[in-house]
């Protein structure tokens, strides 16, 4: 069985089990130890065939937990497609997820990575998530605070890595008085072009989709997993030193002592946008994205990633960290 993945890497599994219910998940965990858990097949790079039993989490369902005049708490099962879920909430008039439109993957993996875009992260909208412990088979509810969210980090990538499988996520969304994040330059530009001074959540989602489509390849036509590298966080002192040599280097303030520098800018400035070796390469429109032009192997894409890391380190003294999981 070929493992579905957005890089379109040809990797096979000896044992593949589609999971459509919590009962089926518990039963599979009773029979198979040390499983390989598969969600939407995004945010991962497969470099070899998987010998572990693959459990493909496909639980479906969306339901309202509770609501009041201002907010709605909506639960989505882990196997729901993320972008389709976002669009569903917007169609109901709910706000909160609009900036996270057109991110590939499924609902269940969003807290693991604490996905984010344009000033919004999962930690800003997630109320809680349900998960099954793969050892005890007991179900646990994790509150937002218990998830230990950080920049593209969570307890599921740290302390509890490999111990839990998320089965459902509950989000707290707004029904009115929406708090929209429009501070990014690209969003501001399109708002001005469309003469939208007070956009609705759905209109903001449409702008985000337009921006992402203009610079990010569709995995259905060009294998990729979105952003491959994290935006590095460096000291303000380091940043000021770099700014002397590179006056146009952009940054986003984290706190009084740290700033975030766009990894895409560093890769582009290092001359690697559009770099290609065989069928593996750096996308020619968005340097943060590595792509499979056809028949690249996971190891060939990983080699390009290491080359990008080494080049950026040599030129800027900054080590880029992978955002994706490597297997």
């Amino acid at each position: 069985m070929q493992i579905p993945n957005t890089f379109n890497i040809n990797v096979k599994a000896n044992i593949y089990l589609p999971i459509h219910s919590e009962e089926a998940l518990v039963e599979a965990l009773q029979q198979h130890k040390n499983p390989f858990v598969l969600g939407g097949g995004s945010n991962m790079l497969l470099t070899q065939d998987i010998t572990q039993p693959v459990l493909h989490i496909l639980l479906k369902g969306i339901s309202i937990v509770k609501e009041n005049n201002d907010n709605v708490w909506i639960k989505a099962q882990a196997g729901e497609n993320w972008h389709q879920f976002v669009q569903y909430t917007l169609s109901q008039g709910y706000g909160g997820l609009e900036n996270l439109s057109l991110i590939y993957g499924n609902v269940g993996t969003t807290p693991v990575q604490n996905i984010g875009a344009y000033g919004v992260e999962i930690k800003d909208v997630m109320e809680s998530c349900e998960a099954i412990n793969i050892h005890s088979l007991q179900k646990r509810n994790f509150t937002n605070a218990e998830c230990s969210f950080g920049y593209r980090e969570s307890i599921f990538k740290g302390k509890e890595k490999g111990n839990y499988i998320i089965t459902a996520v509950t989000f707290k969304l707004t029904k009115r008085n929406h708090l929209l994040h429009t501070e990014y330059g690209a969003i501001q530009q399109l708002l001005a072009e469309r003469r939208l001074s007070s956009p609705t959540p759905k209109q903001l989602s449409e702008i985000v989709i337009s921006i992402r489509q203009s610079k990010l390849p569709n995995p259905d036509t060009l294998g990729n997993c979105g952003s491959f590298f994290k935006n590095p966080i460096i000291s303000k002192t380091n940043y000021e030193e770099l700014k002397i040599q590179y006056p146009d280097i952009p940054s986003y303030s984290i706190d009084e002592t740290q700033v975030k520098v766009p990894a895409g800018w560093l890769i582009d400035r290092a001359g690697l946008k559009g770099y290609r070796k065989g069928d593996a390469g750096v996308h020619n429109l968005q340097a943060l994205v590595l792509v499979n032009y056809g028949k690249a192997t996971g190891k060939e894409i990983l080699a390009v990633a290491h080359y990008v890391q080494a080049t950026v380190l040599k030129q800027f003294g900054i080590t880029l960290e992978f955002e994706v999981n490597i297997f």
Side-chain angles (χ1 to χ4, degrees):
M1 170 69 189
Q2 185 169 337
I3 300 177
N5 65 95
T6 60
F7 254 123
N8 299 328
I9 301 292
N10 185 13
V11 166
K12 294 180 172 57
N14 294 332
I15 300 174
Y16 170 84
L17 298 173
I19 305 296
H20 296 281
S21 68
E22 288 187 6
E23 292 76 17
L25 175 58
V26 170
E27 183 178 337
L29 289 172
Q30 288 173 331
Q31 297 178 9
H32 303 283
K33 303 303 179 184
N34 190 32
F36 181 96
V37 182
L38 178 65
S42 62
N43 199 51
M44 59 190 291
L45 176 62
L46 301 170
T47 63
Q48 58 191 327
D49 289 341
I50 304 300
T51 57
Q52 303 158 257
V54 174
L55 307 186
H56 194 177
I57 309 302
L58 299 170
L59 287 76
K60 301 288 186 179
I62 299 172
S63 60
I64 291 177
V65 177
K66 62 179 180 178
E67 61 182 312
N68 57 31
N69 291 335
D70 297 312
N71 297 100
V72 59
W73 286 258
I74 187 166
K75 180 192 289 188
Q77 298 299 306
E80 289 288 343
N81 175 274
W82 174 252
H83 178 65
Q84 291 175 9
F85 171 64
V86 171
Q87 294 307 297
Y88 170 79
T89 65
L90 292 167
S91 72
Q92 302 302 302
Y94 306 145
L97 303 181
E98 52 280 344
N99 290 49
L100 303 177
S101 299
L102 205 63
I103 294 178
Y104 296 100
N106 290 351
V107 167
T109 53
T110 60
V112 178
Q113 189 74 4
N114 185 24
I115 66 167
Y118 302 105
V120 177
E121 295 178 314
I122 283 296
K123 70 176 179 61
D124 303 319
V125 288
M126 193 199 89
E127 178 79 3
S128 61
C129 65
E130 299 170 8
I132 301 291
N133 187 296
I134 68 169
H135 310 293
S136 68
L137 306 184
Q138 297 300 305
K139 186 175 180 178
R140 175 178 169 182
N141 190 69
F142 286 85
T143 64
N144 185 304
E146 289 172 331
C147 289
S148 302
F149 287 125
Y151 174 53
R152 302 296 176 269
E153 294 289 343
S154 73
I155 195 172
F156 305 108
K157 287 184 71 176
K159 179 183 175 183
E160 297 293 354
K161 184 175 182 178
N163 291 333
Y164 284 91
I165 297 175
I166 295 173
T167 56
V169 186
T170 298
F171 301 90
K172 180 183 178 182
L173 305 179
T174 53
K175 296 169 69 175
R176 62 182 185 180
N177 301 320
H178 307 296
L179 178 61
L180 300 183
H181 294 267
T182 62
E183 56 270 23
Y184 275 73
I187 292 177
Q188 288 286 332
Q189 181 179 342
L190 280 184
L191 284 174
E193 289 178 5
R194 300 182 184 189
R195 298 179 180 177
L196 292 172
S197 57
S198 300
T200 65
K202 194 170 191 311
Q203 287 173 325
L204 182 52
S205 167
E206 290 168 354
I207 284 175
V208 168
I209 290 171
S210 177
I211 294 170
R212 293 182 72 88
Q213 286 179 332
S214 70
K215 62 182 183 180
L216 296 174
N218 185 335
D220 292 336
T221 56
L222 185 62
N224 75 94
C225 67
S227 300
F228 197 94
F229 302 95
K230 296 180 182 180
N231 291 321
I233 296 173
I234 63 175
S235 70
K236 282 193 174 180
T237 302
N238 189 5
Y239 173 72
E240 292 302 328
E241 291 172 352
L242 286 170
K243 198 168 177 64
I244 295 172
Q245 187 173 358
Y246 306 99
D248 59 335
I249 182 172
S251 70
Y252 305 97
S253 179
I254 300 297
D255 54 36
E256 292 182 358
T257 61
Q258 295 179 309
V259 299
K260 184 186 295 182
V261 177
W265 185 92
L266 295 171
I267 299 167
D268 186 4
R269 193 58 182 266
L272 294 177
K273 182 187 283 187
Y275 170 81
R276 178 172 177 172
K277 187 171 184 180
D279 272 357
V282 179
H283 194 244
N284 60 353
L285 296 179
Q286 173 50 272
L288 202 55
V289 177
L290 301 189
V291 295
N292 176 7
Y293 286 104
K295 296 182 179 180
T297 66
K299 289 181 179 178
E300 289 169 339
I301 292 172
L302 184 59
V304 168
H306 284 145
Y307 178 70
V308 169
Q309 277 184 318
T311 304
V312 169
L313 178 61
K314 182 178 180 180
Q315 181 163 339
F316 299 100
I318 295 175
T319 300
L320 295 181
E321 292 183 33
F322 295 159
E323 184 171 319
V324 306
N325 298 298
I326 312 295
F327 299 100

